[in-house]
Amino acid sequence: MKILITGGAGFIGSHVVRLFAKKYSNYQIYNLDKLTYAGNLENLSDLQSFKNYSFIKGDITDETFINKLFLEHKFDSVIHLAAESHVDRSITDPLAFAKTNILGTMILLNAFKNIWNGQWENKLFYHVSTDEVYGSLGTTGLFEETTSYDPNSPYSASKASSDHFVRAYGETYGIPYVISNCSNNYGANQFPEKLIPLFINNIIQNKSLPVYGDGNYTRDWLYVIDHAIAIDLVFHKGKNHETYNIGGFNEWKNLDLVKLLCQNMDTKLGRPLGASEKLITFIKDRPGHDLRYAIDASKINKELGWKPTVTFEEGLSKTINWYLENTIWLNNVTSGEYLKYYKNMYLNS
Ligand code: NAD
Ligand code: DAU
């Protein structure tokens, strides 16, 4: 089986590529990635000698290139993760999100439709999406697979639109597909623009910890390896034309999570307890900030037997250790362009 994984040099994609390349020596895994600021081949340096793994540098929005690639390789399946993924960047540059997340997904769908042209046996288009498509919850309730889409940011609107196109290609052209909508991931190799790695890096450097608004926003955190395990299960056992919600059963208010992170970092860095908490600074809120996300993951649990395997305490500790042990990775990704991004985002407001 030839599987195209898009966005495999990014955070979640690199864990999915590793899991598949290691577990399925009989599959050929092709990792297609544009290597934007978020893509990093260092994330996969351990797979260089794997015979069932190859990297292809390319852009999913380049229609000519994608059509040629699909004709050449005739991929049996696609696991599509490539995306612009950061909400704050979508507020600054919404068109980039529409291009990659909507148009890029359509170009992949079209290429897949055209090469198989109705011969769908053992073929699958797996679209990896987010819980943000459902919008925001109040203080109670959970997102179910049947919850109406109600996106609030350009990022979530672009992901919602891409989900709709996947479904539309399924209904109209009969493409076999599955979609999963997952909550916030954390773990090794996450780009330090997202809350947890950004704050770990800032604590290491004794820089302020910019909490948006009053910090009373809630997210449902899942260790990235558990997401990769869920993707493996949905890919192999998920029902055609179905959606699966994936979540951590692990809700945290941002401020409580940041305080827990500070305590852990103080212990690991040998700093007096309370030192990192002093770095917390409340700053202007994110526009359109969703109050709360929380996933009802009972469908994937009941139908496919999935549940998270790593507790938050364990996952957070492993994540902090990874960043403390991988200072070269961290320094490489936080030099150059990152400094400009950081200044625009946090120092000009
Ligand atoms: P990421 O930003 O770390 O990685 C995205 C990858 O896509 C990068 O390697 C980048 O180079 C690549 N890419 C971007 N534009 C491309 C293009 N035009 N052509 C080819 N490659 C391109 O993202 P992530 O956090 O790993 O998220 C992966 C997927 O999972 C996304 O689709 C995201 O919406 C979804 N998701 C993320 C989370 C989360 O918490 N991070 C949760 C649920 C769903
Ligand atoms: O829910 C899944 C989504 O989770 C994914 O689809 C997205 O790709 C991923 O980026 C993530 O989106 P969030 O916006 O929830 O994640 P982020 O890490 O950017 O922010 C988490 C919370 O922390 C959110 O309430 C905003 C807040 N925050 C974030 C940053 C970067 C801060 O208070 N300060 C910050 O500097």
Side-chain angles (χ1 to χ4, degrees):
M1 167 145 60
K2 285 184 166 190
I3 306 179
L4 178 72
I5 301 184
T6 69
F11 166 48
I12 301 170
S14 60
H15 291 280
V16 173
V17 165
R18 179 173 299 101
L19 186 153
F20 273 73
K22 287 195 167 170
K23 190 168 171 188
Y24 302 108
S25 54
N26 53 329
Y27 295 174
Q28 281 302 320
I29 308 296
Y30 297 83
N31 169 15
L32 168 67
D33 200 296
K34 185 182 172 185
L35 299 182
T36 67
Y37 76 93
N40 187 345
L41 285 180
E42 280 179 49
N43 295 347
L44 292 165
S45 50
D46 55 321
L47 296 190
Q48 268 166 8
S49 62
F50 277 57
K51 292 209 166 50
N52 65 336
Y53 166 71
S54 6
F55 174 69
I56 302 164
K57 185 172 188 312
D59 186 339
I60 58 167
T61 70
D62 182 343
E63 192 181 358
T64 311
F65 163 75
I66 292 292
N67 287 341
K68 219 171 130 219
L69 189 73
F70 274 70
L71 273 176
E72 185 187 341
H73 292 288
K74 297 231 164 14
F75 303 111
D76 297 290
S77 299
V78 177
I79 305 180
H80 175 37
L81 296 108
E84 289 293 340
S85 68
H86 191 39
V87 173
D88 293 326
R89 287 185 195 255
S90 82
I91 295 167
T92 320
D93 188 6
L95 291 185
F97 281 66
K99 189 175 175 201
T100 298
N101 299 357
I102 307 174
L103 186 64
T105 302
M106 289 185 71
I107 286 172
L108 291 171
L109 283 165
N110 238 15
F112 191 65
K113 164 175 92 62
N114 291 341
I115 53 160
W116 295 116
N117 196 21
Q119 294 170 299
W120 297 125
E121 206 181 327
N122 296 324
K123 307 291 178 279
L124 184 65
F125 192 99
Y126 184 165
H127 182 56
V128 176
S129 193
T130 170
D131 61 355
E132 299 201 10
V133 297
Y134 299 122
S136 183
L137 290 163
T139 47
T140 57
L142 297 170
F143 293 136
E144 294 170 15
E145 284 80 359
T146 50
T147 303
S148 301
Y149 276 31
D150 193 14
N152 292 314
S153 73
Y155 164 68
S156 52
S158 69
K159 290 297 290 188
S161 174
S162 65
D163 291 10
H164 291 321
F165 274 109
V166 174
R167 286 202 179 88
Y169 270 68
E171 291 304 315
T172 309
Y173 306 110
I175 283 186
Y177 76 82
V178 282
I179 299 175
S180 56
N181 296 82
C182 188
S183 64
N184 288 61
N185 284 215
Y186 69 99
N189 305 96
Q190 188 169 31
F191 193 78
E193 61 186 352
K194 310 282 164 58
L195 181 75
I196 291 181
L198 175 76
F199 280 30
I200 292 176
N201 186 39
N202 283 14
I203 292 172
I204 295 172
Q205 297 189 35
N206 260 312
K207 277 164 64 172
S208 70
L209 304 176
V211 172
Y212 296 155
D214 58 8
N216 278 322
Y217 293 88
T218 300
R219 298 291 182 264
D220 174 358
W221 294 92
L222 178 69
Y223 192 54
V224 65
I225 305 281
D226 277 323
H227 188 187
I229 292 171
I231 288 175
D232 179 17
L233 264 178
V234 172
F235 179 79
H236 287 100
K237 301 208 169 111
K239 282 198 204 121
N240 187 16
H241 288 203
E242 288 280 330
T243 283
Y244 294 88
N245 280 356
I246 305 169
F249 303 99
N250 180 39
E251 289 184 49
W252 283 85
K253 281 200 169 157
N254 291 344
L255 193 54
D256 295 336
L257 187 155
V258 170
K259 285 182 177 168
L260 178 73
L261 183 66
C262 287
Q263 286 159 20
N264 272 270
M265 291 290 289
D266 284 345
T267 310
K268 288 185 194 281
L269 291 168
R271 293 181 184 167
L273 210 57
S276 299
E277 257 190 59
K278 289 197 186 123
L279 298 170
I280 293 175
T281 315
F282 294 93
I283 66 162
K284 203 169 96 202
D285 213 343
R286 172 186 279 176
H289 199 165
D290 286 332
L291 177 69
R292 178 172 162 258
Y293 306 143
I295 282 278
D296 177 352
S298 52
K299 177 176 171 183
I300 188 172
N301 175 255
K302 282 193 198 111
E303 287 188 16
L304 309 184
W306 177 88
K307 62 173 192 248
T309 62
V310 177
T311 64
F312 192 52
E313 288 66 26
E314 197 189 333
L316 193 63
S317 176
K318 282 186 181 184
T319 303
I320 297 170
N321 290 346
W322 187 85
Y323 284 93
L324 292 177
E325 284 158 15
N326 287 274
T327 44
I328 296 177
W329 185 96
L330 197 52
N331 291 340
N332 284 347
V333 302
T334 53
S335 55
E337 277 301 309
Y338 182 81
L339 295 175
K340 272 195 224 152
Y341 165 78
Y342 198 89
K343 186 164 176 281
N344 282 338
M345 190 63 216
Y346 296 106
L347 305 180
N348 290 341
S349 53

